Amino acid sequence: MKYFRQFNIALDSGLSKSVFDHVRNYMMCSLLLAIGVRGITQEADLVFDLLPNNYAGISLVLLSCVLFCLNLYDGIREISRSRYHSIFILGLIILYIAMTIVVIELASSFRASF
């Protein structure tokens, strides 16, 4: 019962909203990264007749990496308040890396099928 009480207190203080905001930001960053990687590997065309795909892809990859680091830092800052924060932080970093690879592979295979 003690754990349910603590969980209810955490939900009342906004845990659910915080988790969903973090996951949404992560998914947006990973999709930007996948689009950027696809832009780099694609044949050189012009984006809006102004910028080659390679440069647009590189800029998207850089933007998504900066946003990833910002989102990861925010997650680490939130997790560091918990009791076993070292284990949770390591798990979050491993989850970020693994899920990013999966999202890039899924996005590239989805694009290749069309």
Side-chain angles (χ1 to χ4, degrees):
M1 294 305 272
K2 175 184 166 186
Y3 295 114
F4 284 120
R5 204 169 329 145
Q6 289 176 345
F7 187 66
N8 286 334
I9 291 170
L11 286 176
D12 289 338
S13 66
L15 175 72
S16 179
K17 182 180 179 343
S18 174
V19 168
F20 277 100
D21 286 346
H22 190 78
V23 169
R24 183 199 62 218
N25 292 341
Y26 168 77
M27 291 305 295
M28 292 301 295
C29 290
S30 63
L31 286 175
L32 280 176
L33 183 66
I35 291 169
V37 168
R38 180 70 181 165
I40 292 172
T41 60
Q42 208 171 19
E43 293 181 15
D45 290 334
L46 293 178
V47 177
F48 298 119
D49 294 329
L50 298 174
L51 189 65
N53 269 348
N54 295 342
Y55 296 135
I58 290 170
S59 61
L60 268 177
V61 167
L62 290 176
L63 175 68
S64 67
C65 286
V66 168
L67 292 174
F68 259 138
C69 291
L70 181 65
N71 198 35
L72 183 61
Y73 178 74
D74 183 46
I76 288 172
R77 191 178 57 83
E78 291 289 326
I79 288 175
S80 66
R81 298 177 189 153
S82 69
R83 178 182 261 175
Y84 302 107
H85 64 274
S86 298
I87 296 169
F88 291 138
I89 289 172
L90 183 64
L92 181 67
I93 291 171
I94 290 170
L95 183 71
Y96 256 61
I97 293 170
M99 290 301 295
T100 301
I101 292 169
V102 168
V103 168
I104 290 173
E105 288 178 356
L106 285 174
S108 63
S109 68
F110 179 73
R111 179 73 178 145
S113 67
F114 285 106

